Amino acid sequence: MKVSDIYGSKSFRSQNKKSLSFEIYPPKKDSSLKNIDETLAVLCELKPDYISVTFGAGGSANCSRTIELARKIKYEYHVEPVVHLTCLHYDKAEIDAFIKALHAEGIQNILALRGDRRADLLEKQDFKHASDLITYLKQKGDFCLLGACYPECHLESDNRVSEIKYIKEKVNAGAEVLLSQLFFDNEMFFRFLEDCRIAEVNVPVIPGIIPVINASQIKRMVTTCGATVPERFRKIIDKYENNREALFDAGMAYALSQIIDLLVSDIEGIHLYTMNNPLVARKICEGIRNII
């Protein structure tokens, strides 16, 4: 099943349904894939519409772990997987090999990404932008292609105008759904979505939410993606960063407040960054079970 079919279905639109999706990442060691079943059992029990699987840069091991985990999700847990695919450190032949593996497994959904620049990896010349990858994949099979978007602009963007222009290029190239980078201020997302609609970017734009349960981890991620930290959110981190249990409760409450605000504002769904923590997903779903 294609993710785009979920949002395009008559029942989804007529009943004002909301999608629920999760992101997980493959364990670093192949042997650890056996231990991810506990996480998947909980996540799939929550009946997500799809689960995205992250993808590292450089090396066939990243490909195999991503595909193996996606295959497990699809055929053992009967949930549709979305595989991440980066392109900055790969050439066309390497991308073709990945595509061949996806065809063999019957996997139809790809989140097409440029990937982060890394000093330890050579940047290849075939794909400079995610839109280049989307254009290429569109010629290679009947895939549903998703793209990433950044409510507060990608760190390399010059300004909001150039950011929206590039997002429109992704959609024009074939991206049918956009998944957002994490953010902690909903007003940022609402303004971003309004700008997208003004620019006639009319595909579903699904907000990505991450609950705060580890202060140091969140600080690193904020530095990496440039997300704004609202004062209310900063107070939570400052007050509870050395109290693990209190930070978990306060962080979950903050994430729930974000999600509820988004859902009552007619956003089409929620994409939850689980950090492979099934307790986080379960707690969030318990908090919104009657409104999604």
Side-chain angles (χ1 to χ4, degrees):
M1 179 180 181
K2 295 182 179 180
V3 167
S4 54
D5 292 339
I6 296 169
Y7 299 104
S9 69
K10 290 183 179 179
S11 62
F12 185 88
R13 295 192 176 279
S14 64
Q15 298 177 38
N16 196 29
K17 290 184 177 180
K18 312 293 184 183
S19 69
L20 173 67
S21 54
F22 301 133
E23 178 182 291
I24 64 174
Y25 54 84
K28 293 182 179 180
K29 296 180 179 180
D30 289 329
S31 59
S32 299
L33 278 169
K34 299 175 183 177
N35 301 325
I36 204 166
D37 282 289
E38 181 181 349
T39 296
L40 286 175
V42 174
L43 295 182
C44 295
E45 180 184 315
L46 300 171
K47 302 188 183 305
D49 293 285
Y50 51 95
I51 295 176
S52 73
V53 185
T54 64
F55 182 89
S60 60
N62 293 297
C63 301
S64 62
R65 281 193 288 267
T66 295
I67 292 173
E68 185 175 348
L69 183 51
R71 181 174 61 234
K72 178 183 282 286
I73 291 167
K74 183 176 181 71
Y75 295 110
E76 294 183 27
Y77 292 91
H78 309 292
V79 173
E80 201 60 41
V82 174
V83 296
H84 294 211
L85 177 57
T86 65
C87 63
L88 191 61
H89 304 99
Y90 296 94
D91 58 29
K92 288 181 179 179
E94 290 169 310
I95 294 297
D96 284 346
F98 191 76
I99 292 170
K100 183 178 179 180
L102 292 181
H103 278 306
E105 298 297 343
I107 295 171
Q108 295 180 283
N109 300 292
I110 303 174
L111 174 57
L113 305 162
R114 187 199 71 177
D116 296 330
R117 300 189 187 281
R118 286 178 47 174
D120 60 328
L121 288 175
L122 176 68
E123 293 181 14
K124 299 189 178 179
Q125 302 303 311
D126 288 353
F127 305 98
K128 294 292 187 180
H129 306 285
S131 56
D132 299 331
L133 178 60
I134 292 170
T135 298
Y136 189 73
L137 292 172
K138 200 71 177 174
Q139 304 165 4
K140 292 292 182 174
D142 188 24
F143 292 111
C144 171
L145 302 175
L146 295 82
C149 61
Y150 303 84
E152 300 183 59
C153 292
H154 192 280
L155 289 175
E156 296 180 25
S157 290
D158 294 328
N159 51 48
R160 175 55 63 85
V161 173
S162 63
E163 180 73 19
I164 298 297
K165 179 182 177 182
Y166 185 51
I167 289 170
K168 190 170 178 64
E169 288 178 5
K170 291 184 184 182
V171 172
N172 289 343
E176 299 176 71
V177 179
L178 296 172
L179 300 181
S180 95
Q181 179 60 274
L182 63 91
F183 60 92
F184 301 106
D185 183 345
N186 283 6
E187 289 306 314
M188 295 280 191
F189 180 83
F190 292 137
R191 287 197 291 271
F192 167 75
L193 182 58
E194 182 179 9
D195 288 343
C196 284
R197 299 315 187 208
I198 290 171
E200 298 184 344
V201 174
N202 294 317
V203 300
V205 181
I206 309 303
I209 300 296
I210 183 168
V212 183
I213 59 172
N214 183 308
S216 61
Q217 182 182 62
I218 293 298
K219 288 177 180 178
R220 287 196 303 272
M221 295 184 74
V222 166
T223 300
T224 301
C225 70
T228 298
V229 180
E231 184 62 23
R232 183 166 69 97
F233 180 65
R234 189 183 302 279
K235 287 180 178 178
I236 289 174
I237 297 175
D238 291 345
K239 186 173 181 63
Y240 299 122
E241 63 177 329
N242 296 316
N243 185 332
R244 184 176 178 179
E245 290 77 14
L247 179 60
F248 182 91
D249 289 344
M252 295 297 289
Y254 188 91
L256 274 170
S257 70
Q258 272 193 278
I259 291 170
I260 291 169
D261 182 41
L262 290 162
L263 292 177
V264 300
S265 300
D266 291 331
I267 301 303
E268 291 170 283
I270 296 295
H271 189 61
L272 191 66
Y273 295 102
T274 69
M275 304 306 293
N276 285 26
N277 187 326
L279 179 59
V280 166
R282 185 183 292 280
K283 288 287 187 182
I284 291 291
C285 290
E286 287 175 353
I288 61 173
R289 66 158 61 100
N290 293 319
I291 60 174
I292 196 166

